[in-house]
Amino acid sequence: MKNVRGFLKYEINLDRNWRNLQLVCLRYTNCSSLQHCKNKWTNGSVTVKLYDIENFHSSTEQLTDLEAHKMVREANVKQATAEKQLKEAQGKIDVLQAEVAALKTLVLSSSPTSPTQEPLPGGKTPFKKGHTRNKSMSSAMSGSHQDLSVIQPIVKDCKEADLSLYNEFRSWKDEPTMDRTCPFLDKIYQEDIFPCLTFSKSELASAVLEAVENNTLSIEPVGLQPIRFVKASAVECGGPKKCALTGQSKSCKHRIKLGDSSNYYYISPFCRYRITSVCNFFTYIRYIQQGLVKQQDVDQMFWEVMQLRKEMSLAKLGYFKEEL
């Protein structure tokens, strides 16, 4: 019995050890397969995945750089556009401010209110004869004057061609001539040229007109050279303090020479402006006759002639410009 029991116990232990051995073998097999998978993953897949990740990062960085450059470029364009708009806006503001200042000056200058009186030295106010108005009435009157000055209309320069003058100019433009008897020049002679070159010294004035027509008149400023008189007396030729055309005592800063004559005639600034205005008119119509005016059409030529006539009209009325 003891032997049987010992044999059974030995068989049970053997069977248990066998099962344990099978479990160990199974675990070893699983470990081998896992190690193989691990080696495969490490050698192949992980390398591929790491390469893909690196490519992804590089492409992302490239896209980020492109987007950054694009954003910087767009920001620079927007900044330049904004600066340009700012400069244009500032220019418009300056123009508007200048127009507003000019309008204010125009309104104040055209206001019907009486000019303010300056106080006397010492702070004393001037004495006024007669009764004085009530302060309330004066304030009311000043308020009404201010209202009138606010509603003053804005006046602008306008122009409209006279049809008769325009048609005469067009007829002259088709066949330009310097003959004073043609209708276009005859009217200008009667209305502008003769009145502009009419002086108290009629003989000298006629000689000046003839020199202007022949384009032989010269005007030069008075220099430091000695005064030269050849055939005319000092009264006829005038001097630095006496005008030869008017005979009046005026400061003469210029002198004229007629053709080939060696005489110089001293003229005042007023006479000089009247002569130069006529010379400018003759110079322009002479250019038209010679075909030198090619950049202007008929309308522009007409208004240029009207502007020159305007200068002659102002000169004959006593308005002139003097060089300081």
Side-chain angles (χ1 to χ4, degrees):
M1 289 299 292
K2 291 182 181 179
N3 292 329
V4 171
R5 290 178 179 175
F7 179 77
L8 291 173
K9 185 176 180 180
Y10 176 76
E11 187 176 2
I12 292 171
N13 292 330
L14 182 63
D15 184 58
R16 183 185 300 168
N17 292 331
W18 175 252
R19 289 179 181 176
N20 291 332
L21 181 61
Q22 288 180 346
L23 290 174
V24 170
C25 291
L26 181 61
R27 289 179 179 176
Y28 177 76
T29 303
N30 292 335
C31 290
S32 299
S33 62
L34 288 175
Q35 184 67 29
H36 177 71
C37 291
K38 179 180 178 182
N39 294 334
K40 183 179 180 181
W41 176 268
T42 303
N43 295 330
S45 299
V46 172
T47 305
V48 173
K49 289 182 180 293
L50 289 176
Y51 178 75
D52 293 337
I53 291 172
E54 291 177 356
N55 289 337
F56 176 75
H57 281 299
S58 62
S59 60
T60 304
E61 290 177 356
Q62 292 178 357
L63 291 175
T64 304
D65 293 339
L66 292 175
E67 291 179 355
H69 287 299
K70 183 178 180 181
M71 292 175 65
V72 171
R73 185 168 57 253
E74 291 177 353
N76 292 333
V77 171
K78 290 181 179 179
Q79 182 180 0
T81 304
E83 291 178 354
K84 182 179 179 181
Q85 293 177 353
L86 178 61
K87 291 182 180 179
E88 293 177 354
Q90 289 178 350
K92 292 180 180 179
I93 290 173
D94 294 338
V95 172
L96 291 176
Q97 288 178 350
E99 292 180 354
V100 169
L103 290 176
K104 286 182 179 180
T105 304
L106 178 63
V107 170
L108 293 176
S109 62
S110 60
S111 174
T113 57
S114 59
T116 58
Q117 296 182 352
E118 296 181 357
L120 295 177
K124 297 180 181 180
T125 57
F127 175 76
K128 295 182 180 180
K129 294 183 179 181
H131 67 281
T132 58
R133 294 179 179 175
N134 193 350
K135 293 184 178 180
S136 60
M137 184 180 295
S138 300
S139 61
M141 290 293 290
S142 63
S144 63
H145 288 322
Q146 291 178 358
D147 295 338
L148 290 175
S149 65
V150 171
I151 61 175
Q152 286 292 328
I154 300 175
V155 181
K156 65 177 182 179
D157 294 333
C158 302
K159 61 182 181 180
E160 183 177 352
D162 184 85
L163 292 180
S164 61
L165 295 176
Y166 185 75
N167 293 331
E168 290 178 355
F169 174 74
R170 293 205 60 156
S171 300
W172 176 85
K173 173 65 173 59
D174 295 337
E175 296 179 0
T177 177
M178 300 302 293
D179 185 8
R180 66 167 66 179
T181 59
C182 69
F184 170 67
L185 290 180
D186 181 63
K187 180 177 291 186
I188 298 177
Y189 266 93
Q190 299 298 328
E191 296 179 357
D192 300 319
I193 296 176
F194 286 148
C196 204
L197 294 183
T198 299
F199 301 100
S200 58
K201 304 295 181 179
S202 57
E203 295 182 1
L204 182 58
S206 300
V208 169
L209 176 58
E210 183 180 357
V212 171
E213 291 175 335
N214 297 330
N215 197 21
T216 58
L217 183 140
S218 60
I219 303 177
E220 62 181 30
V222 176
L224 299 177
Q225 66 273 14
I227 303 173
R228 295 176 294 177
F229 303 104
V230 178
K231 295 181 180 180
S233 63
V235 176
E236 291 175 341
C237 289
K241 297 296 182 180
K242 191 170 186 179
C243 179
L245 286 170
T246 61
Q248 299 177 352
S249 297
K250 299 288 183 180
S251 177
C252 301
K253 300 180 180 180
H254 293 80
R255 62 183 185 178
I256 59 175
K257 183 181 178 182
L258 307 178
D260 297 332
S261 174
S262 58
N263 296 336
Y264 287 91
Y265 300 92
Y266 289 80
I267 56 175
S268 63
F270 170 54
C271 296
R272 173 183 173 272
Y273 189 77
R274 291 170 68 171
I275 295 173
T276 54
S277 62
V278 178
C279 290
N280 292 336
F281 171 76
F282 273 100
T283 301
Y284 186 72
I285 63 172
R286 197 176 288 116
Y287 284 166
I288 296 177
Q289 183 198 21
Q290 296 173 359
L292 300 178
V293 183
K294 299 179 180 180
Q295 302 297 327
Q296 295 178 337
D297 54 16
V298 179
D299 294 342
Q300 293 175 337
M301 293 181 187
F302 172 77
W303 285 115
E304 183 64 26
V305 170
M306 293 301 105
Q307 179 64 29
L308 295 172
R309 291 193 62 184
K310 178 182 177 182
E311 293 180 2
M312 288 190 291
S313 299
L314 293 175
K316 72 182 180 183
L317 292 175
Y319 296 96
F320 66 97
K321 299 176 183 179
E322 182 180 3
E323 295 180 358
L324 301 177

